[in-house]
Amino acid sequence: MIKVHHLDYSRSTRILWLLEELGEPYELTTYHRDPSTFRAPAELKQAHPLGKSPVIEHDGAVIAESGAILEYLAAKLGDGRLGRSPADADWGEYLEWLHAGEGTAMMGVVMLMLVRGCDKTSRASAYGLEVVDGAMAEIEAKLDGRDYLLASGFSAADIQFGYVVAVADQFGAVGDRPRLRAWLARVTARPAYIAAVEKGGPWLLPISR
Ligand SMILES: N[C@@H](CCC(=O)N[C@@H](CS)C(=O)NCC(=O)O)C(=O)O
């Protein structure tokens, strides 16, 4: 059975969400953040040397990085659901969303998180906002005429970006983008997301800008 090393208030909810979508059983180990620093406990390093969540164990493999885990689980267990393959016309678009979520957009979101309460005109603040705003604008444009990030339907890419957009909103970076807001409401109304939150707890840290 798949073992998930889950940290409370974190992007590892993405993995629970995907597994709930697939109807796959999993064994959940939940780690708790330090209440003052919000950092992960040291025990998480026993699961993976980086000490970050999510981490999964499956068939003897230990895998970190949420995008890699989503891609792995969708390919291994999805049977064509939630993932895309080289045979699909939108495989490239799927991979781009999956990787841009952490590689670009989340980098900007983390900058906003780190500079919260600081001078909004600082270089770090302005750069973080520019990166996140660019990602939000791109999604708003893509959602014209489609319900999900891919025209072919809901996929792991929506799960990956669900967290990015939810945290960006917490820091006031979503803006007045009706398609993006409707998409976030649509994907987080899915029974699998609700089940993931019931099992893993809320994914947003209790902090604000
Ligand atoms: N790019 C990695 C980021 C992993 C990461 O930073 N996870 C956070 C949880 S949202 C974490 O473990 N933070 C605890 C800490 O750094 O102490 C991924 O997508 O999995």
Side-chain angles (χ1 to χ4, degrees):
M1 181 180 316
I2 300 150
K3 187 167 179 180
V4 183
H5 296 272
H6 170 69
L7 179 66
D8 56 6
Y9 302 108
S10 83
R11 39 167 81 69
S12 87
T13 306
R14 286 169 173 157
I15 311 308
L16 311 190
W17 182 0
L18 183 107
L19 289 167
E20 293 291 338
E21 294 277 358
L22 294 176
E24 278 291 331
Y26 53 96
E27 186 187 321
L28 185 65
T29 305
T30 300
Y31 300 78
H32 299 288
R33 290 181 182 267
D34 180 298
S36 52
T37 63
F38 296 121
R39 298 300 308 273
E43 306 97 87
L44 200 44
K45 287 205 167 123
Q46 285 162 18
H48 188 284
L50 284 178
K52 306 271 181 206
S53 176
V55 172
I56 62 156
E57 294 179 44
H58 182 237
D59 281 351
V62 177
I63 310 168
E65 277 299 327
S66 53
I69 297 170
L70 293 179
E71 210 176 320
Y72 173 91
L73 290 174
K76 273 259 186 207
L77 310 167
D79 199 21
R81 291 168 294 156
L82 303 183
R84 299 294 183 271
S85 75
D88 295 310
D90 55 4
W91 183 53
E93 199 185 348
Y94 168 71
L95 290 177
E96 183 181 328
W97 284 121
L98 215 51
H99 292 269
E102 281 295 317
T104 302
M106 234 9 239
M107 186 259 293
V109 172
V110 170
M111 287 179 82
L112 295 184
M113 218 181 249
L114 294 175
V115 299
R116 72 185 194 281
C118 299
D119 178 7
K120 294 285 181 280
T121 62
S122 69
R123 265 203 312 187
S125 192
Y127 184 72
L129 198 55
E130 182 188 312
V131 169
V132 181
D133 195 59
M136 300 301 113
E138 186 193 2
I139 305 175
E140 179 72 6
K142 277 281 178 195
L143 287 171
D144 191 7
R146 56 173 86 166
D147 284 343
Y148 301 106
L149 295 183
L150 298 178
S152 57
F154 182 79
S155 72
D158 295 289
I159 294 179
Q160 182 76 330
F161 260 94
Y163 180 74
V164 178
V165 176
V167 188
D169 196 27
Q170 193 176 20
F171 290 93
V174 167
D176 183 18
R177 295 191 167 106
R179 290 191 287 263
L180 187 51
R181 289 195 178 282
W183 165 85
L184 185 61
R186 184 178 311 121
V187 297
T188 56
R190 292 175 73 89
Y193 169 80
I194 293 164
V197 171
E198 264 165 29
K199 291 185 189 164
W203 62 359
L204 294 182
L205 271 170
I207 53 174
S208 58
R209 56 193 152 131

